[in-house]
Structures are given as structure tokens and as C-alpha cells.
């Protein structure tokens, strides 16, 4: 199946974005040979900075296979940014609405037309204290299993040093390096032909995230935690800690008033 033409809007975005990226960030790009030359496929990428979509898009653009990102629907409504998002063929995600599944249908359609769809399986910038990939959401696995397309794992590091997670100020000096490493397709064949149950999608997602994490270990020269950070589990644990602290404070407050009550009762007799 033929590749998607780059088109005016992508070339225009490249003209605007590539010069500052070249100035601000050095490049250490590896694994471009794993990007399919033809046909539809998915890339699954870790997310650790508000600017890493630009750094990753630069890498992907230079392979000749431009990505279609899944992005918040609100970005498609804002003037020039909205026009660029629509013109470059990005896919709007309507969270918590009746249109929430339209992004996955659009992603499947794009892959079946021979395009590249880029997923950030974590769904948001990592909240892991050491910026390792978190547990992933199942959207990429769902599209991959339905289309049986290649899933190319991609790890990146360096944009997060230019703009740390959830920060608002760039750290320009010293000049940072954008490390991007693409790996061979994730082996999901053992999941083919099976019912796409939540457990199966979760297991396939874990396989995808494990490949991304191994690539990031190569870039960083360090070992990731055995158990990925899970935001949902952390929220549950935080609620448990808050409830325990509240109970302890209430118990202390009650014990602090008991002597006073006893003293008042003694005076009354």
C-alpha cells in the first residue's frame, strides 16, 4: 500500500519548526531502518516532556513517513494551530464523550490506508519520579490487533532536559541532545485471532511498553524499575494514605479532649 504524501501543511510545519529544533537540540537518532518504507504501521512512543512531540516528529519526518498523532480535540479549534492540526491530518481525541471511540476508528482507517499513526500509550507525560515509562493504555494494542499492522517501539530522551515534565521554562544551556531510538516491530502474533478482552489488551499493552522501556534503558544506560509506575494505583494508594492520616488526626483530637471532659465531670460531683 502506498505511503501518505507529506503535503503542504506538513512541509510548512517543518519549515517553521525544524530551524529552532536544530539550534536548540543536538540529535542522536538511531533505528530509522526499522521504520517501514511502505504500508500502514503504528509507532508507540514514551512521553516525558511537552516538547518531545516536536523532537519525535522531527525524527519521524526525516524518515519520510510522517506520523499522525492522536491529540486533544480542543487543539483543532484554535486558529492557526487548529488549521495546522487539521491540515497535517492529526486525529482528534474526544475524551469522556460519545465521540471518544472516533479516534480509534480514525486510527484504524489511517493504518488501513497505509499511513503511520503515532501513539503515546501512557496517555500523558510520565509521572514516574525518574521519568521511566508508566503503565500504558490499551488504544495502541487495540488498533494493532485489529489491523495486524507492525508496531514500532520508539524511546526518546533529551527533550525532557530541555523542558522537564510539567515545567514551563526551557533549560537551554548547555545545549541538550535529543536521543531517539526505534526498535524492531513488537511481536504480538501470539495475541492474533483471540477475543480482544480487557485482560488480553492489557497483556499486549504490557508487551509494547516493555519494548519501549528496554530501548530507553539502552539510551540512558540504566535499569528501569521492575514494576512500572501506575498512576491509577498511586491515586488509590494516595487516597488510602489520606484516609489513614485523617483517622489518625481525628483519633488524636478525641484523645486530647478526654481529660478535659473527665476533669469537668469530677468538678461537677
Amino acid at each position: 500500500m502506498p505511503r501518505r504524501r507529506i503535503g503542504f501543511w506538513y512541509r510548512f510545519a517543518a519549515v517553521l519548526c525544524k530551524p529552532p529544533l536544530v539550534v536548540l537540540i543536538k540529535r542522536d537518532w538511531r533505528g530509522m531502518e526499522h521504520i517501514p518504507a511502505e504500508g500502514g504501521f503504528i509507532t508507540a512512543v514514551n512521553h516525558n516532556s511537552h516538547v518531545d512531540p516536536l523532537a519525535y516528529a522531527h525524527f519521524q519526518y526525516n524518515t519520510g513517513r510522517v506520523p499522525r498523532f492522536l491529540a486533544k480535540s480542543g487543539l483543532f479549534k484554535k486558529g492557526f494551530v487548529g488549521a495546522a492540526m487539521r491540515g497535517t491530518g492529526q486525529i482528534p481525541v474526544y475524551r469522556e464523550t460519545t465521540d471518544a471511540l472516533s479516534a480509534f476508528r480514525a486510527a484504524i482507517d489511517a493504518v488501513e490506508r497505509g499511513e503511520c499513526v503515532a501513539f503515546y500509550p501512557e496517555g500523558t507525560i510520565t509521572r514516574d519520579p525518574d521519568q521511566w515509562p508508566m503503565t500504558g493504555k490499551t488504544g495502541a494494542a487495540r488498533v494493532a490487533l485489529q489491523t495486524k499492522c507492525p508496531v514500532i517501539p520508539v524511546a526518546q530522551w533529551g527533550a525532557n532536559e530541555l523542558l522537564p515534565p510539567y515545567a514551563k521554562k526551557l533549560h537551554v544551556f548547555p545545549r541538550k541532545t535529543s536521543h531517539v531510538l526505534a526498535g524492531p516491530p513488537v511481536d504480538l502474533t501470539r495475541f492474533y485471532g483471540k477475543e480482544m478482552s480487557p485482560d488480553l489488551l492489557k497483556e499486549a499493552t504490557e508487551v509494547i511498553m516493555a519494548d519501549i522501556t528496554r530501548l530507553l534503558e539502552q539510551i540512558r544506560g540504566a535499569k528501569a524499575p521492575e514494576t512500572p509506575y501506575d498512576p491509577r494505583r498511586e491515586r488509590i494508594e494516595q487516597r488510602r494514605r489520606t484516609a489513614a492520616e485523617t483517622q489518625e488526626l481525628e483519633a488524636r483530637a478525641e484523645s486530647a479532649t478526654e481529660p478535659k471532659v473527665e476533669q469537668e465531670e469530677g468538678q461537677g460531683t
Side-chain angles (χ1 to χ4, degrees):
M1 189 173 289
R3 66 174 62 184
R4 183 174 189 261
R5 293 175 62 85
I6 291 178
F8 166 79
W9 275 104
Y10 243 118
R11 294 188 187 280
F12 183 57
V15 168
L16 292 179
C17 297
K18 286 178 71 173
L21 287 172
V22 169
V23 170
L24 290 172
I25 310 177
K26 296 180 286 186
R27 294 174 302 287
D28 172 27
W29 293 347
R30 290 174 284 160
M32 283 187 176
E33 68 275 11
H34 297 301
I35 303 297
E38 302 290 343
F41 65 100
I42 287 171
T43 56
V45 194
N46 67 303
H47 195 10
N48 53 25
S49 172
H50 285 300
V51 300
D52 71 44
L54 292 176
Y56 164 66
H58 190 188
F59 166 87
Q60 184 76 36
Y61 182 89
N62 278 34
T63 69
R65 300 300 311 272
V66 294
R68 294 185 64 183
F69 289 92
L70 278 72
K72 293 185 294 184
S73 59
L75 294 175
F76 292 74
K77 304 174 183 178
K78 299 178 180 179
F80 175 80
V81 172
M85 297 293 285
R86 296 189 299 271
T88 54
Q90 309 312 312
I91 300 172
V93 177
Y94 302 90
R95 294 179 178 176
E96 299 178 359
T97 72
T98 56
D99 292 329
L101 292 177
S102 63
F104 297 110
R105 289 193 291 268
I108 289 169
D109 290 344
V111 169
E112 291 179 342
R113 287 196 304 270
E115 300 181 21
C116 167
V117 178
F119 276 88
Y120 284 98
E122 297 161 277
T124 187
I125 293 174
T126 182
R127 295 185 180 276
D128 180 89
D130 293 320
Q131 301 178 47
W132 290 103
M134 302 187 293
T135 55
K137 300 183 184 300
T138 60
R142 185 183 296 274
V143 174
L145 295 183
Q146 185 156 337
T147 62
K148 295 184 174 59
C149 70
V151 179
I152 308 301
V154 180
Q156 59 177 344
W157 186 261
N160 55 307
E161 296 177 335
L162 176 66
L163 183 67
Y166 302 102
K168 296 182 179 179
K169 184 179 179 181
L170 293 175
H171 296 181
V172 177
F173 300 106
R175 190 177 178 214
K176 309 302 186 291
T177 299
S178 170
H179 303 272
V180 183
L181 175 59
V186 181
D187 183 5
L188 298 176
T189 53
R190 66 181 180 275
F191 302 108
Y192 291 169
K194 298 182 179 179
E195 180 185 356
M196 283 198 287
S197 65
D199 286 343
L200 182 133
L201 290 171
K202 181 176 181 291
E203 185 179 353
T205 300
E206 289 172 351
V207 172
I208 293 171
M209 295 307 300
D211 276 16
I212 297 171
T213 301
R214 280 192 287 270
L215 293 173
L216 188 57
E217 288 177 335
Q218 293 181 43
I219 291 174
R220 297 179 62 176
K223 185 70 176 173
E226 290 294 329
T227 303
Y229 182 91
D230 185 342
R232 181 175 177 275
R233 184 175 62 235
E234 181 60 27
R235 286 194 297 270
I236 294 172
E237 181 62 23
Q238 181 59 49
R239 286 196 292 268
R240 188 196 65 77
R241 288 194 296 264
T242 300
E245 291 170 0
T246 300
Q247 290 178 353
E248 183 178 356
L249 289 173
E250 290 174 349
R252 288 180 180 178
E254 289 178 3
S255 63
T257 60
E258 286 176 359
K260 182 178 180 180
V261 171
E262 292 176 355
Q263 183 179 7
E264 288 175 351
E265 290 177 349
Q267 291 174 351
T269 57

